[in-house]
Amino acid sequence: MKRTIATMVAIAALGSALAGCDSDLEKEAKKAVANQLRDPDSAKFRNVVGGQGVNHSDTVCGEVNGKNGFGAYVGYRKFIYYPDGTLSISSGQPIQFMLEYMEECPSKFWPAVRS
């Protein structure tokens, strides 16, 4: 019984440690996105995932929040980062960006559109 509990605790600890690990591409994406903000150090990320988009290229998608010139957070905006350094960040909800996001960012809410 003690061995089972110790094993479960070790597995939970390892899972928690690995959950915070970002791939190199995700780290690169976060740096590129943060550098586009007025205050890069204020960047807060959520829902950051890597995957393959329609063109079968790796992408990193997620949401970022940052501070404006008055020091207030402006709200989360979606982003798409490609391995070649191309970056798209939404401003509002323009239909073209949302279509690109749906194609390039696999999600539990919609499958990536495949051709």
Side-chain angles (χ1 to χ4, degrees):
M1 181 69 171
K2 289 182 182 178
R3 191 177 265 173
T4 303
I5 292 173
T7 301
M8 291 173 56
V9 169
I11 290 171
L14 179 61
S16 295
L18 292 177
C21 294
D22 290 339
S23 71
D24 289 340
L25 187 59
E26 287 178 18
K27 289 177 186 174
E28 187 180 313
K30 286 180 176 182
K31 183 177 179 181
V33 171
N35 286 335
Q36 294 298 309
L37 302 177
R38 179 180 291 272
D39 180 1
D41 294 331
S42 72
K44 292 184 179 183
F45 293 91
R46 70 179 186 190
N47 301 325
V48 178
V49 294
Q52 285 194 332
V54 182
N55 299 320
H56 305 288
S57 64
D58 292 333
T59 59
V60 175
C61 302
E63 297 172 295
V64 63
N65 195 0
K67 291 182 179 180
N68 62 18
F70 297 105
Y73 280 95
V74 297
Y76 282 92
R77 297 183 300 162
K78 294 181 182 320
F79 69 86
I80 307 168
Y81 181 80
Y82 298 91
D84 67 359
T86 304
L87 173 65
S88 295
I89 301 177
S90 72
S91 54
Q93 296 290 331
I95 189 73
Q96 187 61 39
F97 178 85
M98 291 309 295
L99 290 173
E100 180 183 2
Y101 194 85
M102 289 175 69
E103 289 177 346
E104 299 297 340
C105 304
S107 168
K108 63 183 177 183
F109 302 113
W110 60 78
V113 179
R114 303 284 183 205
S115 50

